[in-house]
Amino acid sequence: MSFSVDIVGAGPAGLTAAEILAQGGAAVRVIDHMPSPARKFLMAGRGGLNLTHSDPLDRFLDRYGEARGFLEPAIRAFPPEALIAWCNGLGIETFIGSSGRVFPKTMKASPLLRAWLRRLDGLGVKLALKTEWMGESQADAMILAMGGASWPRLGSDAGWATLLRRRGIEVKEFIPANCGVTIGWSDFLKERFAGEPLKRIAVTSGGRTVRGEAVVTRRGLEGGAVYALGPQLRETSELTLDLRPDLTVAQLEARLERPKGKASQSNFLRKAAGLSPVAIALLREAGAPVTAVGIKSVKLATTGADSLARAISSAGGVALTEVDRSFELKAWPGVYAVGEMLDWEAPTGGYLLQACFSTAVAAAKACLGRFSAAPDRPQSLPR
Ligand SMILES: Cc1cc2nc3c(=O)[nH]c(=O)nc-3n(C[C@H](O)[C@H](O)[C@H](O)COP(=O)(O)OP(=O)(O)OC[C@H]3O[C@@H](n4cnc5c(N)ncnc54)[C@H](O)[C@@H]3O)c2cc1C
């Protein structure tokens, strides 16, 4: 039989669902209120589109924390290898970076998006841009893929939350995830060191330590190691930096015992301890003693998290208890919610996009199943 599906949101989750449903024979329309599709996906490609990660699957799944159990079936059914194969199938080769992250060789999202939109056009998918979803649809089924609440100017403004709450669907409050922390730096640090990276450090908060990089900004600190501690940093304002995590206290002490000669303290610390100028400035800013222990435990106090407008992603969204295993809303049969609009979170590293693709694949397949199987099931959307 022929059936129609409205997909709301032309981001990666919505376009994935569109592809599968159109291939399955549905008449698909993708609605988006922005003038062009996938603006956040294109923005993600600015700094190198990190599509997914090459972690062993078990470790990969652990990155979703409390949401692991909820996302696991969808990710196992459409795992990173499947996403990479899909990308390659669009003529975009990928590579694994030194950190294990997977990128398209072109780095940008635009060549991938262009090839994808061509494929969707060939499948007869209709794009209705500058079209705001008002909470209804005349189609036989709907896939909601309206994203989270970060970077609202790219289209994902979470305005839909009111429409779903009105139907009695629980939508958890949005909070910034994968965002920097604010710290009351001195003017000296802001003026001299904003933009400087702290490489190969370890950051500890709430009893959890993450190795990686951070960047000093005028507002505080950002970068992968800080983002990964998002859930901990929401609970505590304490942040400790180990500026030389690859050296033990004893190894660092031995280096600091070398004769200083006529070198200034900064030069000595740079040469003996291998500290960069920004690391030395942080040590002083925090009032940490210039000892091995001091260098390995620089204590900073955060004053908060960066705003949603600057966060890479958001936590919050449609409560996971509101959807079934195929992401169909329990309170609204025939309507599925996928991608970042669901209440899960993950660190940067490709885990965000992977879950968006995998949840969309699962929902689109379930939606197809709805129209091909069980003739006694209600097939059109209850209005
Ligand atoms: C700067 C930046 C860099 C990033 N880098 C990476 C990365 O390298 N790797 C990674 O995994 N993730 C990255 N992300 C996160 C990733 O881009 C998102 O998780 C992903 O785009 C979410 O996909 P989605 O399809 O669920 O929603 P979105 O991409 O947010 O798409 C939702 C769409 O719905 C539309 N919409 C919303 N409300 C309505 C409405 N009421 N009516 C009609 N249309 C509506 C929006 O206009 C939007 O087009 C990055 C994000 C940012 C901001």
Side-chain angles (χ1 to χ4, degrees):
M1 70 172 286
S2 72
F3 58 98
S4 60
V5 183
D6 271 354
I7 294 173
V8 192
L15 297 179
T16 301
E19 181 173 340
I20 290 176
L21 283 157
Q23 276 165 347
V28 177
R29 181 172 73 133
V30 183
I31 299 162
D32 201 295
H33 58 181
M34 296 301 279
S36 60
R39 292 203 167 184
K40 191 177 276 183
F41 187 61
L42 288 172
M43 173 59 84
R46 280 247 191 118
L49 184 73
N50 182 192
L51 260 186
T52 186
H53 201 286
S54 61
D55 273 346
L57 194 56
D58 205 47
R59 193 184 312 154
F60 189 103
L61 289 165
D62 274 344
R63 308 288 181 189
Y64 297 98
E66 288 173 10
R68 173 181 170 145
F70 172 80
L71 293 169
E72 182 164 353
I75 294 176
R76 283 197 185 274
F78 189 79
E81 305 82 75
L83 178 51
I84 292 167
W86 168 83
C87 184
N88 297 160
L90 280 169
I92 306 291
E93 287 182 64
T94 52
F95 74 98
I96 301 176
S98 54
S99 58
R101 296 171 180 223
V102 178
F103 300 89
K105 280 193 177 161
T106 52
M107 292 305 272
K108 302 265 167 251
S110 42
L112 173 58
L113 182 63
R114 272 198 302 275
W116 196 3
L117 291 174
R118 265 199 308 276
R119 176 184 285 177
L120 293 176
D121 188 47
L123 287 167
V125 171
K126 300 277 175 269
L127 261 185
L129 297 170
K130 296 189 191 165
T131 306
E132 182 82 22
W133 181 64
M134 305 306 284
E136 298 294 335
S137 162
Q138 296 303 312
D140 296 316
M142 241 192 303
I143 308 257
L144 306 180
M146 289 177 277
S150 76
W151 283 69
R153 67 188 174 87
L154 300 177
S156 327
D157 60 11
W160 52 265
T162 318
L163 300 173
L164 291 191
R165 284 184 184 130
R166 229 177 257 159
R167 284 187 165 262
I169 295 165
E170 189 191 358
V171 180
K172 304 244 180 177
E173 194 195 332
F174 285 100
I175 41 177
N178 291 304
C179 63
V181 286
T182 52
I183 298 172
W185 296 136
S186 64
D187 287 343
F188 171 77
L189 200 92
K190 276 191 231 170
E191 300 306 330
R192 291 282 299 274
F193 293 101
E196 290 291 323
L198 289 155
K199 298 196 171 169
R200 292 185 296 280
I201 59 165
V203 187
T204 301
S205 182
R208 192 168 158 238
T209 300
V210 174
R211 282 191 180 222
E213 282 194 24
V215 180
V216 171
T217 66
R218 292 184 69 83
R219 298 164 53 81
L221 274 180
E222 59 184 38
V226 177
Y227 301 160
L229 288 169
Q232 287 72 29
L233 286 165
R234 268 180 233 140
E235 305 295 322
T236 169
S237 60
E238 285 170 17
L239 188 71
T240 306
L241 304 186
D242 180 346
L243 299 171
R244 287 308 313 264
D246 41 348
L247 294 179
T248 62
V249 170
Q251 285 169 328
L252 201 48
E253 265 168 0
R255 288 176 174 228
L256 293 173
E257 275 161 18
R258 287 180 197 163
K260 192 170 163 224
K262 287 187 182 153
S264 67
Q265 192 183 46
S266 294
N267 259 341
F268 175 71
L269 284 173
R270 191 168 55 78
K271 286 191 182 146
L275 295 183
S276 61
V278 60
I280 296 167
L282 265 188
L283 201 60
R284 293 193 176 130
E285 178 89 5
V290 186
T291 60
V293 172
I295 290 169
K296 289 184 69 63
S297 53
V298 180
K299 295 204 183 320
L300 300 171
T302 66
T303 52
D306 251 339
S307 63
L308 268 170
R310 299 166 57 93
I312 286 182
S313 60
S314 55
V318 175
L320 304 186
T321 48
E322 294 288 349
V323 292
D324 68 10
R325 283 171 68 86
S326 59
F327 306 101
E328 187 172 1
L329 288 165
K330 292 174 189 166
W332 200 359
V335 181
Y336 300 76
V338 296
E340 205 185 310
M341 70 181 285
L342 289 167
D343 178 28
W344 54 269
E345 63 174 309
T348 54
Y351 310 102
L352 295 165
L353 282 173
Q354 178 71 51
C356 291
F357 280 92
S358 298
T359 53
V361 170
K365 287 191 171 166
C367 184
L368 278 178
R370 186 182 175 85
F371 292 96
S372 54
D376 53 336
R377 267 195 87 176
Q379 299 204 321
S380 289
L381 210 50
R383 293 181 222 288

